[in-house]
Amino acid sequence: MSILHRLGLPVQITLQMTIYAYHLNHPNLSQWQVSLFFDVSKSTVNRAYQFMSQPV
């Protein structure tokens, strides 16, 4: 993750990327379980899923 910070990506985007990567590695976990793992709100997880699943 430190390389992403050095590239100048905002902390919010790096968190969303981390959450989404975790989701891809653990697709059967609910958003609630992922939010508990990262100690963030369920809405934060939901926003990360929505943001990262958008086409570029």
Side-chain angles (χ1 to χ4, degrees):
M1 265 317 161
S2 62
I3 193 164
L4 296 175
H5 292 289
R6 281 186 251 151
L7 291 174
L9 290 176
V11 173
Q12 179 182 357
I13 292 175
T14 57
L15 175 61
Q16 290 177 341
M17 291 171 69
T18 304
I19 290 171
Y20 197 70
Y22 187 80
H23 163 66
L24 293 177
N25 288 321
H26 304 90
N28 295 325
L29 293 180
S30 69
Q31 289 184 10
W32 180 74
Q33 291 169 313
V34 174
S35 71
L36 288 176
F37 181 81
F38 285 100
D39 195 28
V40 296
S41 68
K42 188 177 166 227
S43 62
T44 299
V45 173
N46 188 30
R47 280 192 298 270
Y49 288 7
Q50 289 178 354
F51 179 75
M52 294 304 296
S53 64
Q54 293 177 3
V56 178

Short mmCIF file of all heavy atoms in Angstrom, two decimals:
data_model
loop_
_atom_site.label_atom_id
_atom_site.label_comp_id
_atom_site.label_asym_id
_atom_site.label_seq_id
_atom_site.Cartn_x
_atom_site.Cartn_y
_atom_site.Cartn_z
N MET A 1 0.80 -1.19 0.00
CA MET A 1 0.00 0.00 0.00
C MET A 1 0.84 1.26 0.00
O MET A 1 0.40 2.25 -0.50
CB MET A 1 -0.89 0.02 1.24
CG MET A 1 -2.27 -0.51 1.05
SD MET A 1 -3.02 0.06 -0.45
CE MET A 1 -4.26 -1.14 -0.55
N SER A 2 2.02 1.24 0.55
CA SER A 2 2.81 2.45 0.65
C SER A 2 3.14 3.02 -0.73
O SER A 2 3.25 4.23 -0.89
CB SER A 2 4.08 2.21 1.44
OG SER A 2 4.89 1.27 0.79
N ILE A 3 3.29 2.16 -1.73
CA ILE A 3 3.57 2.66 -3.08
C ILE A 3 2.38 3.46 -3.61
O ILE A 3 2.55 4.45 -4.31
CB ILE A 3 3.96 1.54 -4.05
CG1 ILE A 3 4.54 2.16 -5.31
CG2 ILE A 3 2.80 0.64 -4.39
CD1 ILE A 3 5.31 1.19 -6.18
N LEU A 4 1.16 3.07 -3.25
CA LEU A 4 -0.02 3.82 -3.68
C LEU A 4 -0.03 5.20 -3.06
O LEU A 4 -0.39 6.17 -3.71
CB LEU A 4 -1.29 3.06 -3.32
CG LEU A 4 -1.48 1.70 -4.01
CD1 LEU A 4 -2.72 1.00 -3.47
CD2 LEU A 4 -1.57 1.87 -5.51
N HIS A 5 0.40 5.30 -1.80
CA HIS A 5 0.47 6.61 -1.15
C HIS A 5 1.56 7.46 -1.81
O HIS A 5 1.39 8.66 -1.99
CB HIS A 5 0.75 6.46 0.34
CG HIS A 5 -0.39 5.86 1.09
ND1 HIS A 5 -1.56 6.52 1.32
CD2 HIS A 5 -0.54 4.64 1.64
CE1 HIS A 5 -2.38 5.74 1.99
NE2 HIS A 5 -1.79 4.58 2.20
N ARG A 6 2.66 6.83 -2.17
CA ARG A 6 3.73 7.59 -2.83
C ARG A 6 3.31 8.08 -4.21
O ARG A 6 3.81 9.09 -4.69
CB ARG A 6 4.99 6.72 -2.95
CG ARG A 6 5.74 6.66 -1.63
CD ARG A 6 7.04 5.94 -1.79
NE ARG A 6 6.87 4.66 -1.10
CZ ARG A 6 7.48 3.55 -1.39
NH1 ARG A 6 8.34 3.51 -2.38
NH2 ARG A 6 7.27 2.46 -0.70
N LEU A 7 2.38 7.35 -4.85
CA LEU A 7 1.87 7.79 -6.15
C LEU A 7 0.89 8.94 -6.01
O LEU A 7 0.48 9.53 -7.00
CB LEU A 7 1.20 6.62 -6.88
CG LEU A 7 2.12 5.51 -7.35
CD1 LEU A 7 1.30 4.35 -7.91
CD2 LEU A 7 3.09 6.02 -8.39
N GLY A 8 0.49 9.22 -4.79
CA GLY A 8 -0.38 10.36 -4.55
C GLY A 8 -1.86 10.02 -4.55
O GLY A 8 -2.69 10.91 -4.66
N LEU A 9 -2.22 8.74 -4.45
CA LEU A 9 -3.63 8.38 -4.39
C LEU A 9 -4.19 8.74 -3.02
O LEU A 9 -3.55 8.49 -1.99
CB LEU A 9 -3.81 6.88 -4.65
CG LEU A 9 -3.54 6.42 -6.07
CD1 LEU A 9 -3.65 4.91 -6.16
CD2 LEU A 9 -4.48 7.06 -7.05
N PRO A 10 -5.38 9.31 -2.99
CA PRO A 10 -5.99 9.65 -1.70
C PRO A 10 -6.20 8.41 -0.84
O PRO A 10 -6.41 7.30 -1.34
CB PRO A 10 -7.33 10.27 -2.09
CG PRO A 10 -7.17 10.70 -3.50
CD PRO A 10 -6.19 9.74 -4.11
N VAL A 11 -6.18 8.60 0.47
CA VAL A 11 -6.33 7.50 1.42
C VAL A 11 -7.66 6.78 1.20
O VAL A 11 -7.74 5.56 1.29
CB VAL A 11 -6.21 8.01 2.87
CG1 VAL A 11 -6.54 6.92 3.87
CG2 VAL A 11 -4.83 8.56 3.11
N GLN A 12 -8.71 7.53 0.89
CA GLN A 12 -10.03 6.94 0.68
C GLN A 12 -9.99 5.93 -0.46
O GLN A 12 -10.56 4.84 -0.35
CB GLN A 12 -11.05 8.02 0.40
CG GLN A 12 -12.45 7.49 0.14
CD GLN A 12 -13.43 8.59 -0.18
OE1 GLN A 12 -13.10 9.76 -0.17
NE2 GLN A 12 -14.65 8.21 -0.47
N ILE A 13 -9.33 6.26 -1.55
CA ILE A 13 -9.27 5.36 -2.70
C ILE A 13 -8.44 4.13 -2.37
O ILE A 13 -8.81 3.01 -2.74
CB ILE A 13 -8.73 6.09 -3.95
CG1 ILE A 13 -9.76 7.13 -4.40
CG2 ILE A 13 -8.44 5.10 -5.08
CD1 ILE A 13 -9.31 7.99 -5.55
N THR A 14 -7.36 4.30 -1.65
CA THR A 14 -6.54 3.14 -1.30
C THR A 14 -7.31 2.21 -0.35
O THR A 14 -7.21 0.98 -0.47
CB THR A 14 -5.20 3.54 -0.68
OG1 THR A 14 -5.41 4.34 0.47
CG2 THR A 14 -4.34 4.28 -1.68
N LEU A 15 -8.11 2.77 0.56
CA LEU A 15 -8.94 1.95 1.43
C LEU A 15 -9.98 1.20 0.61
O LEU A 15 -10.19 0.00 0.81
CB LEU A 15 -9.64 2.80 2.50
CG LEU A 15 -10.63 2.06 3.40
CD1 LEU A 15 -9.93 0.96 4.20
CD2 LEU A 15 -11.34 3.03 4.33
N GLN A 16 -10.60 1.88 -0.35
CA GLN A 16 -11.59 1.23 -1.20
C GLN A 16 -10.95 0.10 -2.01
O GLN A 16 -11.54 -0.97 -2.16
CB GLN A 16 -12.26 2.23 -2.13
CG GLN A 16 -13.17 3.19 -1.40
CD GLN A 16 -13.77 4.24 -2.29
OE1 GLN A 16 -13.27 4.51 -3.38
NE2 GLN A 16 -14.84 4.86 -1.84
N MET A 17 -9.76 0.31 -2.49
CA MET A 17 -9.06 -0.73 -3.25
C MET A 17 -8.74 -1.92 -2.35
O MET A 17 -8.89 -3.08 -2.77
CB MET A 17 -7.78 -0.16 -3.85
CG MET A 17 -8.03 0.84 -4.95
SD MET A 17 -6.54 1.70 -5.48
CE MET A 17 -5.66 0.38 -6.29
N THR A 18 -8.34 -1.65 -1.12
CA THR A 18 -8.02 -2.72 -0.17
C THR A 18 -9.28 -3.52 0.18
O THR A 18 -9.25 -4.76 0.20
CB THR A 18 -7.41 -2.14 1.10
OG1 THR A 18 -6.26 -1.37 0.75
CG2 THR A 18 -7.02 -3.22 2.08
N ILE A 19 -10.37 -2.82 0.43
CA ILE A 19 -11.64 -3.50 0.75
C ILE A 19 -12.09 -4.35 -0.42
O ILE A 19 -12.50 -5.50 -0.26
CB ILE A 19 -12.72 -2.47 1.15
CG1 ILE A 19 -12.39 -1.84 2.50
CG2 ILE A 19 -14.10 -3.11 1.17
CD1 ILE A 19 -13.27 -0.67 2.88
N TYR A 20 -12.02 -3.80 -1.63
CA TYR A 20 -12.48 -4.54 -2.80
C TYR A 20 -11.59 -5.74 -3.08
O TYR A 20 -12.07 -6.81 -3.46
CB TYR A 20 -12.56 -3.62 -4.01
CG TYR A 20 -13.40 -4.20 -5.12
CD1 TYR A 20 -14.79 -4.31 -4.96
CD2 TYR A 20 -12.84 -4.64 -6.30
CE1 TYR A 20 -15.57 -4.85 -5.96
CE2 TYR A 20 -13.63 -5.18 -7.31
CZ TYR A 20 -14.99 -5.28 -7.13
OH TYR A 20 -15.77 -5.82 -8.12
N ALA A 21 -10.30 -5.61 -2.89
CA ALA A 21 -9.39 -6.74 -3.07
C ALA A 21 -9.72 -7.85 -2.08
O ALA A 21 -9.71 -9.03 -2.42
CB ALA A 21 -7.94 -6.29 -2.91
N TYR A 22 -10.02 -7.46 -0.85
CA TYR A 22 -10.41 -8.44 0.17
C TYR A 22 -11.70 -9.14 -0.26
O TYR A 22 -11.84 -10.35 -0.12
CB TYR A 22 -10.57 -7.76 1.52
CG TYR A 22 -10.82 -8.71 2.66
CD1 TYR A 22 -9.77 -9.41 3.26
CD2 TYR A 22 -12.11 -8.92 3.16
CE1 TYR A 22 -9.99 -10.28 4.31
CE2 TYR A 22 -12.34 -9.80 4.20
CZ TYR A 22 -11.27 -10.48 4.77
OH TYR A 22 -11.50 -11.35 5.80
N HIS A 23 -12.64 -8.36 -0.78
CA HIS A 23 -13.91 -8.92 -1.27
C HIS A 23 -13.65 -9.93 -2.39
O HIS A 23 -14.28 -10.99 -2.42
CB HIS A 23 -14.81 -7.79 -1.77
CG HIS A 23 -15.92 -8.24 -2.65
ND1 HIS A 23 -16.96 -9.03 -2.21
CD2 HIS A 23 -16.17 -8.01 -3.97
CE1 HIS A 23 -17.79 -9.26 -3.21
NE2 HIS A 23 -17.33 -8.64 -4.28
N LEU A 24 -12.76 -9.62 -3.30
CA LEU A 24 -12.46 -10.54 -4.40
C LEU A 24 -11.83 -11.84 -3.89
O LEU A 24 -12.07 -12.91 -4.45
CB LEU A 24 -11.54 -9.88 -5.43
CG LEU A 24 -12.16 -8.72 -6.20
CD1 LEU A 24 -11.12 -8.10 -7.13
CD2 LEU A 24 -13.39 -9.16 -6.99
N ASN A 25 -11.05 -11.75 -2.83
CA ASN A 25 -10.43 -12.94 -2.24
C ASN A 25 -11.38 -13.72 -1.33
O ASN A 25 -11.13 -14.89 -1.05
CB ASN A 25 -9.18 -12.56 -1.45
CG ASN A 25 -8.06 -12.16 -2.36
OD1 ASN A 25 -7.85 -12.75 -3.40
ND2 ASN A 25 -7.33 -11.13 -1.97
N HIS A 26 -12.45 -13.08 -0.87
CA HIS A 26 -13.42 -13.71 0.04
C HIS A 26 -14.84 -13.38 -0.44
O HIS A 26 -15.58 -12.67 0.25
CB HIS A 26 -13.22 -13.21 1.47
CG HIS A 26 -11.84 -13.42 1.99
ND1 HIS A 26 -10.84 -12.49 1.84
CD2 HIS A 26 -11.28 -14.47 2.63
CE1 HIS A 26 -9.73 -12.96 2.38
NE2 HIS A 26 -9.97 -14.16 2.87
N PRO A 27 -15.23 -13.88 -1.61
CA PRO A 27 -16.52 -13.48 -2.20
C PRO A 27 -17.75 -13.93 -1.42
O PRO A 27 -18.83 -13.37 -1.62
CB PRO A 27 -16.49 -14.11 -3.59
CG PRO A 27 -15.56 -15.27 -3.47
CD PRO A 27 -14.53 -14.84 -2.45
N ASN A 28 -17.62 -14.89 -0.53
CA ASN A 28 -18.78 -15.40 0.20
C ASN A 28 -19.07 -14.64 1.48
O ASN A 28 -20.07 -14.90 2.14
CB ASN A 28 -18.61 -16.89 0.51
CG ASN A 28 -18.57 -17.71 -0.76
OD1 ASN A 28 -19.25 -17.41 -1.73
ND2 ASN A 28 -17.76 -18.75 -0.77
N LEU A 29 -18.21 -13.70 1.86
CA LEU A 29 -18.45 -12.91 3.06
C LEU A 29 -19.47 -11.81 2.77
O LEU A 29 -19.48 -11.22 1.69
CB LEU A 29 -17.16 -12.26 3.57
CG LEU A 29 -16.09 -13.20 4.11
CD1 LEU A 29 -14.88 -12.40 4.57
CD2 LEU A 29 -16.62 -14.05 5.24
N SER A 30 -20.29 -11.52 3.74
CA SER A 30 -21.26 -10.43 3.60
C SER A 30 -20.55 -9.08 3.78
O SER A 30 -19.44 -9.02 4.29
CB SER A 30 -22.37 -10.57 4.63
OG SER A 30 -21.87 -10.33 5.93
N GLN A 31 -21.24 -8.03 3.37
CA GLN A 31 -20.68 -6.69 3.57
C GLN A 31 -20.50 -6.41 5.05
O GLN A 31 -19.54 -5.75 5.45
CB GLN A 31 -21.59 -5.64 2.94
CG GLN A 31 -21.57 -5.66 1.44
CD GLN A 31 -22.39 -4.54 0.84
OE1 GLN A 31 -22.84 -3.62 1.52
NE2 GLN A 31 -22.60 -4.61 -0.46
N TRP A 32 -21.39 -6.92 5.86
CA TRP A 32 -21.28 -6.73 7.31
C TRP A 32 -20.01 -7.39 7.84
O TRP A 32 -19.29 -6.80 8.64
CB TRP A 32 -22.52 -7.31 7.98
CG TRP A 32 -22.50 -7.16 9.46
CD1 TRP A 32 -22.70 -6.01 10.18
CD2 TRP A 32 -22.25 -8.19 10.42
NE1 TRP A 32 -22.59 -6.28 11.52
CE2 TRP A 32 -22.32 -7.61 11.70
CE3 TRP A 32 -21.99 -9.53 10.32
CZ2 TRP A 32 -22.12 -8.34 12.86
CZ3 TRP A 32 -21.80 -10.27 11.48
CH2 TRP A 32 -21.87 -9.66 12.73
N GLN A 33 -19.70 -8.62 7.39
CA GLN A 33 -18.50 -9.31 7.83
C GLN A 33 -17.24 -8.57 7.38
O GLN A 33 -16.27 -8.48 8.15
CB GLN A 33 -18.49 -10.75 7.31
CG GLN A 33 -19.55 -11.62 7.94
CD GLN A 33 -19.71 -12.95 7.23
OE1 GLN A 33 -19.80 -12.99 6.00
NE2 GLN A 33 -19.76 -14.02 8.00
N VAL A 34 -17.26 -8.05 6.18
CA VAL A 34 -16.12 -7.29 5.69
C VAL A 34 -15.96 -6.00 6.49
O VAL A 34 -14.85 -5.61 6.84
CB VAL A 34 -16.26 -6.98 4.18
CG1 VAL A 34 -15.14 -6.08 3.68
CG2 VAL A 34 -16.28 -8.29 3.37
N SER A 35 -17.06 -5.35 6.81
CA SER A 35 -16.99 -4.12 7.60
C SER A 35 -16.41 -4.40 8.99
O SER A 35 -15.66 -3.59 9.52
CB SER A 35 -18.35 -3.45 7.70
OG SER A 35 -19.23 -4.18 8.53
N LEU A 36 -16.75 -5.54 9.58
CA LEU A 36 -16.18 -5.91 10.87
C LEU A 36 -14.68 -6.14 10.76
O LEU A 36 -13.91 -5.74 11.63
CB LEU A 36 -16.85 -7.16 11.43
CG LEU A 36 -18.28 -7.01 11.92
CD1 LEU A 36 -18.84 -8.37 12.34
CD2 LEU A 36 -18.35 -6.02 13.07
N PHE A 37 -14.25 -6.80 9.68
CA PHE A 37 -12.83 -7.08 9.49
C PHE A 37 -12.02 -5.79 9.40
O PHE A 37 -10.94 -5.69 9.97
CB PHE A 37 -12.63 -7.93 8.23
CG PHE A 37 -11.20 -8.28 7.97
CD1 PHE A 37 -10.60 -9.35 8.63
CD2 PHE A 37 -10.44 -7.56 7.06
CE1 PHE A 37 -9.27 -9.67 8.40
CE2 PHE A 37 -9.11 -7.87 6.82
CZ PHE A 37 -8.53 -8.93 7.49
N PHE A 38 -12.53 -4.80 8.67
CA PHE A 38 -11.81 -3.54 8.48
C PHE A 38 -12.16 -2.48 9.52
O PHE A 38 -11.59 -1.38 9.49
CB PHE A 38 -12.07 -2.99 7.08
CG PHE A 38 -11.34 -3.73 6.00
CD1 PHE A 38 -11.98 -4.67 5.23
CD2 PHE A 38 -9.99 -3.50 5.77
CE1 PHE A 38 -11.30 -5.37 4.25
CE2 PHE A 38 -9.30 -4.18 4.79
CZ PHE A 38 -9.96 -5.13 4.03
N ASP A 39 -13.12 -2.78 10.40
CA ASP A 39 -13.55 -1.84 11.42
C ASP A 39 -14.03 -0.52 10.79
O ASP A 39 -13.61 0.57 11.17
CB ASP A 39 -12.45 -1.58 12.44
CG ASP A 39 -12.98 -0.89 13.69
OD1 ASP A 39 -14.17 -1.08 14.02
OD2 ASP A 39 -12.20 -0.17 14.34
N VAL A 40 -14.88 -0.68 9.77
CA VAL A 40 -15.50 0.46 9.10
C VAL A 40 -17.00 0.19 9.04
O VAL A 40 -17.47 -0.90 9.34
CB VAL A 40 -14.95 0.67 7.66
CG1 VAL A 40 -13.47 1.03 7.69
CG2 VAL A 40 -15.19 -0.54 6.79
N SER A 41 -17.76 1.19 8.62
CA SER A 41 -19.21 1.01 8.53
C SER A 41 -19.57 0.18 7.29
O SER A 41 -18.79 0.09 6.34
CB SER A 41 -19.91 2.37 8.45
OG SER A 41 -19.61 3.00 7.23
N LYS A 42 -20.76 -0.39 7.33
CA LYS A 42 -21.24 -1.17 6.19
C LYS A 42 -21.40 -0.28 4.97
O LYS A 42 -21.16 -0.70 3.83
CB LYS A 42 -22.55 -1.87 6.54
CG LYS A 42 -23.01 -2.83 5.48
CD LYS A 42 -24.27 -3.54 5.91
CE LYS A 42 -24.86 -4.24 4.71
NZ LYS A 42 -26.27 -3.99 4.57
N SER A 43 -21.78 0.97 5.18
CA SER A 43 -21.94 1.89 4.05
C SER A 43 -20.59 2.19 3.39
O SER A 43 -20.52 2.39 2.18
CB SER A 43 -22.63 3.18 4.48
OG SER A 43 -21.88 3.86 5.44
N THR A 44 -19.52 2.20 4.17
CA THR A 44 -18.18 2.38 3.60
C THR A 44 -17.83 1.21 2.68
O THR A 44 -17.31 1.40 1.58
CB THR A 44 -17.12 2.51 4.71
OG1 THR A 44 -17.43 3.66 5.50
CG2 THR A 44 -15.72 2.65 4.14
N VAL A 45 -18.16 0.01 3.12
CA VAL A 45 -17.91 -1.18 2.30
C VAL A 45 -18.77 -1.12 1.03
O VAL A 45 -18.28 -1.38 -0.07
CB VAL A 45 -18.20 -2.47 3.10
CG1 VAL A 45 -18.13 -3.70 2.22
CG2 VAL A 45 -17.23 -2.58 4.27
N ASN A 46 -20.02 -0.75 1.19
CA ASN A 46 -20.92 -0.65 0.04
C ASN A 46 -20.40 0.36 -0.97
O ASN A 46 -20.40 0.11 -2.18
CB ASN A 46 -22.33 -0.29 0.51
CG ASN A 46 -23.34 -0.36 -0.60
OD1 ASN A 46 -23.20 -1.14 -1.53
ND2 ASN A 46 -24.36 0.45 -0.51
N ARG A 47 -19.95 1.52 -0.50
CA ARG A 47 -19.40 2.54 -1.41
C ARG A 47 -18.15 2.02 -2.11
O ARG A 47 -17.93 2.29 -3.30
CB ARG A 47 -19.08 3.82 -0.64
CG ARG A 47 -20.29 4.68 -0.37
CD ARG A 47 -19.90 6.07 0.11
NE ARG A 47 -19.18 6.04 1.38
CZ ARG A 47 -19.74 6.10 2.57
NH1 ARG A 47 -21.04 6.17 2.68
NH2 ARG A 47 -19.01 6.07 3.67
N ALA A 48 -17.33 1.27 -1.40
CA ALA A 48 -16.12 0.71 -2.01
C ALA A 48 -16.49 -0.27 -3.11
O ALA A 48 -15.91 -0.24 -4.20
CB ALA A 48 -15.27 0.00 -0.96
N TYR A 49 -17.47 -1.12 -2.87
CA TYR A 49 -17.92 -2.08 -3.89
C TYR A 49 -18.45 -1.34 -5.11
O TYR A 49 -18.13 -1.69 -6.24
CB TYR A 49 -19.02 -2.98 -3.35
CG TYR A 49 -18.57 -4.05 -2.35
CD1 TYR A 49 -17.29 -4.09 -1.84
CD2 TYR A 49 -19.48 -4.98 -1.89
CE1 TYR A 49 -16.91 -5.05 -0.92
CE2 TYR A 49 -19.10 -5.96 -0.97
CZ TYR A 49 -17.83 -5.98 -0.50
OH TYR A 49 -17.46 -6.95 0.41
N GLN A 50 -19.27 -0.31 -4.88
CA GLN A 50 -19.85 0.44 -5.99
C GLN A 50 -18.77 1.17 -6.79
O GLN A 50 -18.77 1.16 -8.01
CB GLN A 50 -20.89 1.44 -5.48
CG GLN A 50 -22.15 0.78 -4.99
CD GLN A 50 -23.15 1.78 -4.44
OE1 GLN A 50 -22.85 2.98 -4.34
NE2 GLN A 50 -24.31 1.30 -4.09
N PHE A 51 -17.86 1.82 -6.08
CA PHE A 51 -16.82 2.60 -6.74
C PHE A 51 -15.90 1.71 -7.56
O PHE A 51 -15.58 2.00 -8.72
CB PHE A 51 -16.00 3.39 -5.71
CG PHE A 51 -14.89 4.20 -6.32
CD1 PHE A 51 -15.16 5.37 -6.99
CD2 PHE A 51 -13.58 3.76 -6.23
CE1 PHE A 51 -14.13 6.12 -7.55
CE2 PHE A 51 -12.54 4.49 -6.80
CZ PHE A 51 -12.83 5.68 -7.47
N MET A 52 -15.47 0.59 -6.98
CA MET A 52 -14.50 -0.28 -7.66
C MET A 52 -15.13 -1.10 -8.77
O MET A 52 -14.42 -1.56 -9.66
CB MET A 52 -13.84 -1.20 -6.63
CG MET A 52 -12.97 -0.46 -5.63
SD MET A 52 -11.68 0.57 -6.35
CE MET A 52 -10.67 -0.68 -7.13
N SER A 53 -16.44 -1.28 -8.77
CA SER A 53 -17.07 -2.07 -9.83
C SER A 53 -17.49 -1.23 -11.03
O SER A 53 -18.01 -1.76 -12.01
CB SER A 53 -18.26 -2.85 -9.27
OG SER A 53 -19.26 -1.96 -8.83
N GLN A 54 -17.26 0.08 -10.97
CA GLN A 54 -17.58 0.95 -12.11
C GLN A 54 -16.59 0.72 -13.25
O GLN A 54 -15.39 0.53 -13.00
CB GLN A 54 -17.52 2.42 -11.71
CG GLN A 54 -18.57 2.86 -10.74
CD GLN A 54 -18.38 4.32 -10.35
OE1 GLN A 54 -17.51 5.01 -10.84
NE2 GLN A 54 -19.22 4.77 -9.46
N PRO A 55 -17.09 0.72 -14.49
CA PRO A 55 -16.15 0.61 -15.61
C PRO A 55 -15.27 1.86 -15.72
O PRO A 55 -15.67 2.96 -15.35
CB PRO A 55 -17.05 0.49 -16.83
CG PRO A 55 -18.40 0.92 -16.39
CD PRO A 55 -18.46 0.83 -14.90
N VAL A 56 -14.06 1.66 -16.19
CA VAL A 56 -13.12 2.77 -16.32
C VAL A 56 -13.36 3.51 -17.60
O VAL A 56 -13.61 3.03 -18.61
CB VAL A 56 -11.66 2.24 -16.28
CG1 VAL A 56 -10.67 3.37 -16.46
CG2 VAL A 56 -11.43 1.54 -14.99
#
